[in-house]
Amino acid sequence: MLILAIDTSAVASAALVTDVVVPSAAGQPAAEQTTPVPRVLAGFVTEDTRSHAEVLAPGIRGILDDAAIEPSTLDAIVAGVGPGPFTGLRSGIVTARTLGFAWNVPLHGMMSLDAVARRVAVGESTGAGDFLVAIDARRKEVYWAGYRRTNLLPELVDGPHVGPAADLPLLPVYGAGAGLYADVVDAVDGYAATQPEAAPLGELALIRLASGAQLQDTTPLYLRESDAKVPGPRKRASGRARA
């Protein structure tokens, strides 16, 4: 399986993810003799959170060239659907929809906070337990969700939500949102700058698709109303115009 993953919920990122099949334990049924192990072929991540539209398309073209991949060989495109700011999130989703249509490739959506949760599930060697992922939502708030770590995979158990960091449940918190509000949450060292990125999102998508799971569509998770408002009708001036 070969997946192009795209996420612009915070930074702009894209990655090509494939699977390396390894033998499972002896004695399992023939249909379960292999287990997919995701491998990132190529990817890019920006540090700028405000230039998504400018860098995304050239970045995708670059990773396809670097990996010598033709779009026709893709099995799926996966887009992070947020939560995230309106403009940045829209850039990634619209790009994914356009490429899926132009290349005739199946398109799926995944909650962007799952990308950070995947990093935690793989990177933390102690225990399973419950934890939170939080990223900056601006306005002195965070986007957050609750997870349970089981067998190196994150399971969503709560959210996503948006609100003040001080209102989060009393659990370890991973991600850039925790780094911003380490004075009021149980921020975990080493993850204070971690943002959702395409590579771990693609890894998790590949595992889920290989297991036969259904992913969501690409409806964005804005969680807030847009700041931009359609202006109301203009009032007509009273009185007659003078000649």
Side-chain angles (χ1 to χ4, degrees):
M1 185 178 293
L2 178 61
I3 291 175
L4 170 63
I6 299 169
D7 191 273
T8 55
S9 60
V11 297
S13 61
L16 291 165
V17 182
T18 188
D19 55 326
V20 179
V21 177
V22 297
S24 296
Q28 293 184 352
E32 300 178 7
Q33 283 294 310
T34 57
T35 302
V37 177
R39 180 167 63 98
V40 177
L41 295 179
F44 84 93
V45 182
T46 69
E47 294 184 1
D48 187 359
T49 60
R50 298 180 184 273
S51 62
H52 299 28
E54 293 86 348
V55 303
L56 191 56
I60 292 171
R61 180 71 265 174
I63 64 174
L64 288 169
D65 291 344
D66 290 345
I69 295 296
E70 291 296 327
S72 60
T73 64
L74 292 171
D75 294 297
I77 297 174
V78 173
V81 298
F86 182 86
T87 302
L89 193 58
R90 182 176 58 182
S91 297
I93 293 174
V94 168
T95 298
R97 288 175 176 175
T98 301
L99 296 179
F101 176 79
W103 295 340
N104 193 28
V105 175
L107 177 64
H108 307 278
M110 283 188 62
M111 207 254 286
S112 297
L113 297 178
D114 286 355
V116 179
R118 163 71 177 173
R119 291 258 194 240
V120 175
V122 173
E124 294 292 277
S125 59
T126 56
D130 294 347
F131 64 93
L132 306 180
V133 168
I135 63 172
D136 185 19
R138 301 171 188 171
R139 303 182 190 176
K140 298 182 179 180
E141 293 183 329
V142 293
Y143 297 117
W144 67 274
Y147 292 87
R148 179 167 295 121
R149 179 180 181 270
T150 306
N151 296 327
L152 302 183
L153 293 174
E155 176 190 356
L156 179 68
V157 295
D158 188 13
H161 306 285
V162 61
D167 293 346
L168 266 60
L170 298 178
L171 289 168
V173 188
Y174 297 78
L180 284 173
Y181 300 102
D183 57 330
V184 295
V185 302
D186 182 12
V188 178
D189 292 340
Y191 291 84
T194 303
Q195 301 274 26
E197 295 178 9
L201 198 71
E203 292 173 354
L204 194 54
L206 188 146
I207 292 170
R208 289 176 177 172
L209 288 172
S211 72
Q214 294 292 318
L215 303 186
Q216 63 197 83
D217 62 23
T218 56
T219 302
L221 295 170
Y222 291 129
L223 301 191
R224 286 194 189 125
E225 294 293 329
S226 172
D227 290 336
K229 301 297 181 184
V230 177
R234 297 180 62 182
K235 294 182 178 179
R236 299 181 62 182
S238 60
R240 295 182 178 178
R242 295 183 178 180

